[in-house]
Amino acid sequence: MPDLAHTLQRFEALMLAEQPVDIGQADDAIWAYLAQSPGLTAQLKALDRLSAALARMESHSPVLPRLREALERHRARISEPSA
């Protein structure tokens, strides 16, 4: 199971890639990380940790804003009320 450090390494690899990045790879990494946390509250806390760690990363990569957007999409999905 991917931990925070492993997930951040995947993000770094995406930011260093010279080819266009498939943001779906980031989504997969995010879901794999969040899936370890049972329940929505735990997933939101895990997402907070991931977001905070990403905020501390320094990069001028055009992928960084896309990673932030992906995290916010996941936050919105998790926060949606169940139907």
Coordinates of all heavy atoms in Angstrom, one line a residue:
M1 N 0.8 -1.2 0.0 CA 0.0 0.0 0.0 C 0.9 1.3 0.0 O 1.8 1.3 0.8 CB -0.9 0.0 1.3 CG -1.8 -1.1 1.4 SD -3.5 -0.4 1.4 CE -4.4 -1.9 1.3
P2 N 0.6 2.2 -0.9 CA 1.4 3.4 -1.0 C 1.2 4.3 0.2 O 0.1 4.6 0.6 CB 1.0 4.0 -2.3 CG -0.4 3.5 -2.6 CD -0.4 2.1 -1.9
D3 N 2.3 4.7 0.8 CA 2.2 5.7 1.9 C 2.4 7.1 1.4 O 2.5 7.3 0.1 CB 3.2 5.4 3.0 CG 4.7 5.4 2.5 OD1 4.9 5.8 1.3 OD2 5.6 5.0 3.2
L4 N 2.4 8.1 2.2 CA 2.6 9.5 1.8 C 3.9 9.7 1.0 O 3.8 10.3 0.0 CB 2.5 10.4 3.1 CG 2.6 11.9 2.8 CD1 1.5 12.3 1.9 CD2 2.7 12.7 4.1
A5 N 5.0 9.2 1.5 CA 6.2 9.4 0.8 C 6.2 8.8 -0.6 O 6.7 9.4 -1.5 CB 7.4 8.8 1.7
H6 N 5.7 7.6 -0.7 CA 5.6 6.9 -2.0 C 4.7 7.7 -3.0 O 5.0 7.9 -4.1 CB 5.0 5.5 -1.9 CG 4.9 4.8 -3.2 ND1 3.8 4.6 -3.9 CD2 5.9 4.1 -3.9 CE1 4.0 4.0 -5.0 NE2 5.3 3.6 -5.0
T7 N 3.6 8.2 -2.5 CA 2.7 9.0 -3.3 C 3.4 10.3 -3.8 O 3.3 10.7 -4.9 CB 1.4 9.3 -2.5 OG1 0.8 8.1 -2.1 CG2 0.4 10.1 -3.4
L8 N 4.1 11.0 -2.8 CA 4.8 12.2 -3.2 C 5.9 11.9 -4.2 O 6.2 12.7 -5.1 CB 5.4 12.9 -2.0 CG 4.3 13.4 -1.0 CD1 5.0 13.9 0.3 CD2 3.5 14.5 -1.7
Q9 N 6.6 10.7 -4.1 CA 7.6 10.3 -5.1 C 6.9 10.2 -6.5 O 7.5 10.6 -7.5 CB 8.2 9.0 -4.7 CG 9.2 9.2 -3.6 CD 9.7 7.8 -3.1 OE1 9.3 6.8 -3.5 NE2 10.8 7.9 -2.3
R10 N 5.7 9.7 -6.5 CA 5.0 9.5 -7.8 C 4.7 10.9 -8.4 O 4.8 11.2 -9.6 CB 3.7 8.7 -7.7 CG 4.1 7.2 -7.5 CD 2.9 6.3 -7.4 NE 2.2 6.3 -8.7 CZ 1.0 5.7 -8.9 NH1 0.4 5.1 -7.9 NH2 0.5 5.7 -10.1
F11 N 4.3 11.9 -7.5 CA 4.0 13.2 -7.9 C 5.3 13.9 -8.5 O 5.3 14.5 -9.5 CB 3.5 14.1 -6.8 CG 2.1 13.8 -6.4 CD1 1.5 14.5 -5.3 CD2 1.3 12.9 -7.1 CE1 0.2 14.3 -5.0 CE2 0.0 12.7 -6.7 CZ -0.6 13.3 -5.7
E12 N 6.4 13.7 -7.8 CA 7.7 14.2 -8.2 C 8.1 13.7 -9.6 O 8.6 14.5 -10.5 CB 8.8 14.0 -7.2 CG 8.7 14.8 -6.0 CD 9.7 14.4 -4.9 OE1 10.4 13.4 -5.0 OE2 9.8 15.1 -3.9
A13 N 7.9 12.4 -9.8 CA 8.2 11.8 -11.1 C 7.3 12.5 -12.2 O 7.8 12.7 -13.3 CB 8.0 10.3 -11.1
L14 N 6.1 12.7 -11.9 CA 5.2 13.4 -12.9 C 5.7 14.8 -13.2 O 5.7 15.2 -14.3 CB 3.8 13.4 -12.4 CG 3.1 12.0 -12.3 CD1 1.7 12.2 -11.6 CD2 2.9 11.4 -13.7
M15 N 6.1 15.5 -12.1 CA 6.6 16.9 -12.3 C 7.9 16.9 -13.1 O 8.2 17.9 -13.8 CB 6.7 17.6 -11.0 CG 5.4 17.9 -10.4 SD 5.5 19.0 -8.9 CE 6.0 17.8 -7.7
L16 N 8.7 15.9 -13.0 CA 10.0 15.8 -13.7 C 9.9 15.3 -15.1 O 10.8 15.4 -15.9 CB 11.0 15.0 -12.9 CG 11.4 15.6 -11.6 CD1 12.3 14.7 -10.8 CD2 12.1 17.0 -11.8
A17 N 8.8 14.7 -15.5 CA 8.6 14.1 -16.8 C 8.7 15.1 -17.9 O 8.2 16.2 -17.8 CB 7.3 13.4 -16.9
E18 N 9.4 14.8 -18.9 CA 9.6 15.7 -20.0 C 8.5 15.6 -21.1 O 8.2 16.5 -21.8 CB 11.0 15.4 -20.7 CG 12.1 15.8 -19.8 CD 13.5 15.6 -20.5 OE1 13.5 15.5 -21.7 OE2 14.5 15.5 -19.8
Q19 N 7.8 14.4 -21.0 CA 6.7 14.2 -22.0 C 5.4 14.8 -21.3 O 5.3 14.9 -20.1 CB 6.6 12.7 -22.2 CG 7.8 12.2 -22.9 CD 7.6 10.7 -23.1 OE1 6.6 10.1 -22.9 NE2 8.7 10.0 -23.4
P20 N 4.4 15.0 -22.1 CA 3.1 15.4 -21.5 C 2.6 14.4 -20.5 O 2.8 13.2 -20.7 CB 2.2 15.5 -22.7 CG 3.1 15.7 -23.9 CD 4.4 15.0 -23.6
V21 N 2.1 14.8 -19.4 CA 1.7 14.0 -18.3 C 0.3 13.7 -18.4 O -0.6 14.6 -18.6 CB 2.1 14.7 -17.0 CG1 1.5 13.9 -15.8 CG2 3.6 14.8 -16.8
D22 N -0.1 12.4 -18.2 CA -1.4 11.9 -18.1 C -1.8 12.1 -16.6 O -1.4 11.4 -15.8 CB -1.5 10.5 -18.5 CG -2.9 9.9 -18.3 OD1 -3.9 10.7 -18.0 OD2 -3.1 8.7 -18.4
I23 N -2.7 13.1 -16.3 CA -3.0 13.4 -15.0 C -3.8 12.3 -14.3 O -3.9 12.2 -13.1 CB -3.8 14.7 -14.9 CG1 -3.7 15.4 -13.5 CG2 -5.3 14.5 -15.3 CD1 -2.4 15.8 -13.1
G24 N -4.3 11.3 -15.1 CA -4.9 10.1 -14.6 C -3.9 9.3 -13.7 O -4.4 8.7 -12.8
Q25 N -2.6 9.4 -14.0 CA -1.6 8.8 -13.2 C -1.7 9.4 -11.8 O -1.5 8.7 -10.8 CB -0.3 8.9 -13.8 CG -0.1 8.2 -15.1 CD 1.3 8.4 -15.7 OE1 2.3 8.5 -15.0 NE2 1.3 8.5 -17.0
A26 N -1.8 10.7 -11.7 CA -1.9 11.3 -10.4 C -3.2 10.9 -9.7 O -3.2 10.6 -8.5 CB -1.9 12.9 -10.5
D27 N -4.3 10.9 -10.4 CA -5.6 10.4 -9.8 C -5.4 9.0 -9.2 O -5.9 8.7 -8.1 CB -6.7 10.5 -10.8 CG -7.2 11.9 -11.1 OD1 -7.2 12.7 -10.2 OD2 -7.5 12.1 -12.3
D28 N -4.8 8.1 -10.0 CA -4.6 6.8 -9.5 C -3.8 6.8 -8.2 O -4.1 6.0 -7.3 CB -3.9 5.9 -10.6 CG -4.7 5.7 -11.8 OD1 -6.0 5.9 -11.7 OD2 -4.2 5.2 -12.8
A29 N -2.7 7.6 -8.2 CA -1.9 7.6 -7.0 C -2.6 8.2 -5.8 O -2.5 7.7 -4.7 CB -0.6 8.5 -7.2
I30 N -3.5 9.2 -6.0 CA -4.3 9.8 -5.0 C -5.3 8.7 -4.4 O -5.4 8.6 -3.2 CB -5.0 11.0 -5.4 CG1 -4.0 12.1 -5.8 CG2 -6.0 11.5 -4.4 CD1 -4.6 13.3 -6.6
W31 N -6.0 8.1 -5.3 CA -7.0 7.1 -4.9 C -6.3 5.9 -4.1 O -6.8 5.4 -3.1 CB -7.8 6.5 -6.0 CG -8.9 7.4 -6.4 CD1 -9.2 7.9 -7.6 CD2 -10.0 7.9 -5.6 NE1 -10.3 8.7 -7.6 CE2 -10.8 8.7 -6.4 CE3 -10.2 7.8 -4.2 CZ2 -11.9 9.4 -5.8 CZ3 -11.4 8.5 -3.7 CH2 -12.2 9.3 -4.5
A32 N -5.1 5.5 -4.6 CA -4.4 4.4 -3.9 C -4.0 4.8 -2.5 O -4.1 4.0 -1.5 CB -3.2 4.0 -4.7
Y33 N -3.6 6.1 -2.3 CA -3.2 6.6 -1.0 C -4.5 6.7 -0.1 O -4.5 6.3 1.0 CB -2.5 7.9 -1.2 CG -2.2 8.6 0.1 CD1 -1.3 8.1 1.0 CD2 -2.9 9.8 0.5 CE1 -1.0 8.7 2.2 CE2 -2.6 10.4 1.7 CZ -1.7 9.9 2.5 OH -1.4 10.5 3.7
L34 N -5.6 7.3 -0.7 CA -6.8 7.5 0.1 C -7.5 6.2 0.5 O -8.1 6.1 1.5 CB -7.7 8.4 -0.6 CG -7.3 9.8 -0.9 CD1 -8.3 10.6 -1.6 CD2 -6.9 10.5 0.4
A35 N -7.4 5.2 -0.4 CA -8.0 3.9 -0.2 C -7.6 3.2 1.1 O -8.3 2.4 1.7 CB -7.8 3.0 -1.3
Q36 N -6.4 3.6 1.6 CA -5.9 3.0 2.9 C -6.7 3.5 4.1 O -6.6 2.9 5.2 CB -4.4 3.3 3.0 CG -3.6 2.8 1.9 CD -2.2 3.3 2.1 OE1 -1.5 2.7 3.0 NE2 -1.7 4.3 1.4
S37 N -7.4 4.6 4.0 CA -8.0 5.2 5.1 C -9.5 4.8 5.1 O -10.2 5.1 4.2 CB -7.9 6.7 5.0 OG -6.6 7.1 5.0
P38 N -9.9 4.1 6.2 CA -11.3 3.7 6.2 C -12.3 4.8 6.6 O -12.1 5.5 7.6 CB -11.3 2.6 7.3 CG -10.2 2.9 8.2 CD -9.2 3.6 7.3
G39 N -13.2 5.1 5.8 CA -14.2 6.1 6.1 C -13.9 7.5 5.5 O -12.7 7.8 5.2
L40 N -14.9 8.3 5.2 CA -14.7 9.6 4.6 C -13.9 10.5 5.4 O -13.1 11.3 4.9 CB -16.1 10.2 4.2 CG -16.9 9.4 3.2 CD1 -18.2 10.0 3.0 CD2 -16.1 9.2 1.9
T41 N -14.2 10.5 6.8 CA -13.4 11.5 7.6 C -11.9 11.2 7.6 O -11.1 12.1 7.5 CB -13.9 11.4 9.1 OG1 -15.3 11.7 9.1 CG2 -13.2 12.3 10.0
A42 N -11.6 9.9 7.6 CA -10.2 9.5 7.6 C -9.6 9.9 6.2 O -8.4 10.3 6.1 CB -10.0 8.0 7.9
Q43 N -10.4 9.7 5.2 CA -9.9 10.0 3.8 C -9.7 11.5 3.7 O -8.7 12.0 3.0 CB -10.8 9.5 2.8 CG -10.8 8.0 2.6 CD -11.7 7.5 1.5 OE1 -12.5 8.2 0.9 NE2 -11.6 6.2 1.3
L44 N -10.5 12.3 4.3 CA -10.3 13.8 4.2 C -9.1 14.2 5.0 O -8.3 15.1 4.5 CB -11.6 14.5 4.8 CG -12.8 14.6 3.9 CD1 -14.0 15.1 4.6 CD2 -12.5 15.4 2.6
K45 N -8.8 13.5 6.1 CA -7.6 13.8 6.9 C -6.4 13.4 6.1 O -5.4 14.1 6.0 CB -7.6 13.1 8.2 CG -8.6 13.8 9.2 CD -8.6 13.0 10.5 CE -9.6 13.7 11.4 NZ -9.7 13.0 12.7
A46 N -6.4 12.3 5.4 CA -5.3 11.8 4.6 C -5.1 12.8 3.4 O -4.0 13.1 3.0 CB -5.6 10.4 4.0
L47 N -6.2 13.3 2.8 CA -6.1 14.3 1.8 C -5.5 15.6 2.3 O -4.7 16.2 1.6 CB -7.5 14.5 1.2 CG -7.6 15.3 -0.1 CD1 -6.7 14.6 -1.2 CD2 -9.0 15.3 -0.6
D48 N -5.8 16.0 3.5 CA -5.2 17.1 4.1 C -3.7 17.0 4.2 O -3.0 17.9 3.9 CB -5.8 17.4 5.5 CG -7.2 18.0 5.4 OD1 -7.7 18.4 4.3 OD2 -7.9 17.9 6.5
R49 N -3.3 15.8 4.6 CA -1.8 15.5 4.8 C -1.2 15.6 3.4 O -0.1 16.2 3.3 CB -1.6 14.2 5.4 CG -1.9 14.2 6.9 CD -1.4 12.9 7.6 NE -2.1 11.7 7.0 CZ -3.3 11.2 7.5 NH1 -3.9 11.9 8.4 NH2 -3.8 10.1 6.9
L50 N -1.8 15.0 2.4 CA -1.2 15.0 1.1 C -1.2 16.4 0.5 O -0.2 16.8 -0.1 CB -2.1 14.1 0.2 CG -1.6 13.8 -1.2 CD1 -0.1 13.2 -1.2 CD2 -2.5 12.8 -1.9
S51 N -2.2 17.2 0.7 CA -2.3 18.6 0.2 C -1.2 19.4 0.9 O -0.5 20.2 0.2 CB -3.7 19.2 0.5 OG -4.6 18.5 -0.3
A52 N -1.0 19.2 2.2 CA 0.0 20.0 2.9 C 1.4 19.7 2.4 O 2.2 20.5 2.2 CB -0.2 19.8 4.4
A53 N 1.6 18.4 2.2 CA 2.9 18.0 1.7 C 3.2 18.5 0.3 O 4.3 19.0 0.0 CB 3.0 16.4 1.7
L54 N 2.2 18.5 -0.5 CA 2.3 19.0 -1.9 C 2.6 20.5 -1.8 O 3.4 21.1 -2.6 CB 1.1 18.7 -2.7 CG 1.2 19.1 -4.2 CD1 2.3 18.3 -4.9 CD2 -0.2 18.8 -4.9
A55 N 1.9 21.2 -0.9 CA 2.1 22.7 -0.8 C 3.6 23.0 -0.4 O 4.1 24.1 -0.8 CB 1.2 23.2 0.2
R56 N 4.3 22.1 0.3 CA 5.7 22.4 0.7 C 6.6 22.0 -0.5 O 7.8 22.4 -0.4 CB 6.0 21.5 1.9 CG 5.3 22.0 3.1 CD 5.8 21.3 4.4 NE 5.6 19.8 4.4 CZ 4.5 19.2 4.8 NH1 3.5 19.9 5.3 NH2 4.4 17.9 4.8
M57 N 6.2 21.4 -1.5 CA 7.1 21.0 -2.6 C 7.3 22.3 -3.5 O 6.4 23.0 -3.7 CB 6.4 19.9 -3.5 CG 6.3 18.6 -2.8 SD 5.4 17.4 -3.8 CE 6.9 16.7 -4.6
E58 N 8.6 22.4 -3.8 CA 8.9 23.5 -4.7 C 9.2 23.0 -6.1 O 10.0 22.1 -6.3 CB 10.2 24.2 -4.1 CG 10.0 24.7 -2.7 CD 10.6 26.0 -2.5 OE1 11.0 26.6 -3.5 OE2 10.5 26.5 -1.4
S59 N 8.4 23.5 -7.0 CA 8.6 23.1 -8.4 C 8.0 24.2 -9.3 O 7.0 24.8 -8.9 CB 7.9 21.8 -8.6 OG 8.0 21.5 -10.0
H60 N 8.6 24.4 -10.4 CA 8.1 25.3 -11.5 C 7.4 24.5 -12.6 O 7.1 25.0 -13.6 CB 9.2 26.2 -12.0 CG 9.8 27.1 -11.0 ND1 9.1 28.1 -10.4 CD2 10.9 27.0 -10.4 CE1 9.8 28.7 -9.5 NE2 11.0 28.1 -9.5
S61 N 7.2 23.2 -12.3 CA 6.6 22.3 -13.3 C 5.2 22.7 -13.6 O 4.4 23.1 -12.7 CB 6.6 20.9 -12.8 OG 5.8 20.1 -13.6
P62 N 4.8 22.7 -14.8 CA 3.4 23.0 -15.2 C 2.4 21.9 -14.6 O 1.2 22.1 -14.6 CB 3.4 23.0 -16.7 CG 4.6 22.3 -17.1 CD 5.6 22.4 -16.0
V63 N 3.0 20.8 -14.2 CA 2.1 19.7 -13.6 C 1.7 20.1 -12.2 O 0.6 19.6 -11.8 CB 2.9 18.4 -13.7 CG1 2.1 17.3 -13.0 CG2 3.3 18.1 -15.1
L64 N 2.4 20.9 -11.5 CA 2.1 21.2 -10.1 C 0.7 21.7 -9.9 O -0.1 21.2 -9.1 CB 3.1 22.1 -9.4 CG 2.9 22.4 -8.0 CD1 2.9 21.1 -7.1 CD2 4.0 23.3 -7.5
P65 N 0.3 22.7 -10.7 CA -1.1 23.2 -10.6 C -2.1 22.2 -10.9 O -3.2 22.1 -10.3 CB -1.2 24.4 -11.6 CG 0.2 24.8 -11.8 CD 1.1 23.6 -11.6
R66 N -1.8 21.3 -11.8 CA -2.7 20.2 -12.2 C -2.9 19.2 -11.1 O -3.9 18.7 -10.8 CB -2.3 19.5 -13.5 CG -2.3 20.5 -14.7 CD -1.8 19.9 -15.9 NE -2.6 18.7 -16.4 CZ -2.2 17.8 -17.1 NH1 -0.9 17.8 -17.6 NH2 -3.0 16.8 -17.5
L67 N -1.8 19.0 -10.3 CA -1.8 18.1 -9.2 C -2.7 18.7 -8.1 O -3.5 18.0 -7.5 CB -0.4 17.8 -8.6 CG 0.5 16.9 -9.5 CD1 1.9 16.9 -8.9 CD2 -0.1 15.5 -9.5
R68 N -2.6 20.0 -7.9 CA -3.4 20.7 -6.9 C -4.9 20.6 -7.3 O -5.7 20.4 -6.4 CB -2.9 22.1 -6.7 CG -1.6 22.2 -6.0 CD -1.2 23.7 -5.8 NE 0.1 23.8 -5.1 CZ 1.1 24.5 -5.5 NH1 1.0 25.3 -6.6 NH2 2.2 24.5 -4.8
E69 N -5.1 20.8 -8.6 CA -6.5 20.7 -9.0 C -7.1 19.3 -8.8 O -8.2 19.1 -8.4 CB -6.6 21.0 -10.5 CG -6.4 22.5 -10.8 CD -6.2 22.8 -12.3 OE1 -6.4 21.9 -13.1 OE2 -6.0 24.0 -12.6
A70 N -6.2 18.3 -9.1 CA -6.7 16.9 -8.9 C -7.0 16.6 -7.4 O -8.0 16.0 -7.1 CB -5.6 15.9 -9.3
L71 N -6.2 17.2 -6.5 CA -6.5 17.0 -5.1 C -7.8 17.7 -4.7 O -8.6 17.1 -3.9 CB -5.3 17.6 -4.2 CG -4.0 16.8 -4.3 CD1 -2.9 17.6 -3.5 CD2 -4.2 15.4 -3.7
E72 N -8.0 18.8 -5.3 CA -9.3 19.5 -5.0 C -10.5 18.8 -5.5 O -11.6 18.8 -4.9 CB -9.3 21.0 -5.5 CG -8.3 21.8 -4.6 CD -8.6 21.8 -3.1 OE1 -9.8 21.9 -2.7 OE2 -7.7 21.5 -2.4
R73 N -10.3 18.2 -6.7 CA -11.4 17.3 -7.3 C -11.7 16.2 -6.3 O -12.9 15.8 -6.1 CB -11.1 16.8 -8.6 CG -11.3 17.8 -9.8 CD -11.2 17.1 -11.1 NE -10.1 16.2 -11.3 CZ -8.9 16.6 -11.7 NH1 -8.6 17.9 -12.0 NH2 -7.9 15.7 -11.9
H74 N -10.7 15.6 -5.8 CA -10.9 14.4 -4.9 C -11.6 14.9 -3.6 O -12.5 14.3 -3.1 CB -9.6 13.7 -4.6 CG -9.1 12.9 -5.7 ND1 -9.5 11.6 -5.9 CD2 -8.3 13.2 -6.7 CE1 -9.0 11.1 -7.0 NE2 -8.2 12.1 -7.5
R75 N -11.2 16.1 -3.1 CA -11.8 16.6 -1.9 C -13.3 16.9 -2.2 O -14.1 16.6 -1.3 CB -11.1 17.9 -1.5 CG -11.7 18.5 -0.2 CD -10.9 19.8 0.2 NE -9.5 19.6 0.2 CZ -8.8 19.0 1.2 NH1 -9.4 18.5 2.2 NH2 -7.5 18.9 1.1
A76 N -13.6 17.4 -3.3 CA -15.0 17.7 -3.7 C -15.8 16.4 -3.7 O -16.9 16.3 -3.2 CB -15.1 18.5 -5.0
R77 N -15.2 15.4 -4.3 CA -15.9 14.1 -4.4 C -16.2 13.5 -3.1 O -17.3 12.9 -2.8 CB -15.2 13.1 -5.3 CG -15.2 13.5 -6.7 CD -14.4 12.4 -7.5 NE -14.3 12.9 -8.9 CZ -13.1 12.8 -9.6 NH1 -12.1 12.3 -9.0 NH2 -13.1 13.3 -10.8
I78 N -15.2 13.5 -2.2 CA -15.3 12.9 -0.9 C -16.3 13.7 0.0 O -17.0 13.1 0.8 CB -13.9 12.9 -0.2 CG1 -13.0 11.9 -0.9 CG2 -14.1 12.5 1.3 CD1 -11.6 11.9 -0.5
S79 N -16.3 15.0 -0.2 CA -17.2 15.9 0.6 C -18.6 15.9 0.1 O -19.5 16.4 0.8 CB -16.6 17.3 0.6 OG -15.3 17.3 1.1
E80 N -18.9 15.4 -1.1 CA -20.3 15.4 -1.6 C -21.2 14.6 -0.7 O -20.8 13.5 -0.2 CB -20.3 14.8 -3.0 CG -19.8 15.7 -4.0 CD -19.9 15.0 -5.4 OE1 -20.3 13.8 -5.5 OE2 -19.5 15.7 -6.4
P81 N -22.4 15.1 -0.4 CA -23.3 14.3 0.4 C -23.8 13.1 -0.4 O -23.9 13.1 -1.6 CB -24.5 15.2 0.7 CG -24.3 16.4 -0.2 CD -22.9 16.4 -0.7
S82 N -23.9 12.0 0.3 CA -24.4 10.7 -0.3 C -25.9 10.9 -0.7 O -26.6 11.5 0.0 CB -24.2 9.5 0.6 OG -22.9 9.4 0.9
A83 N -26.2 10.3 -1.8 CA -27.6 10.4 -2.3 C -28.4 9.4 -1.7 O -28.0 8.4 -1.2 CB -27.6 10.3 -3.8

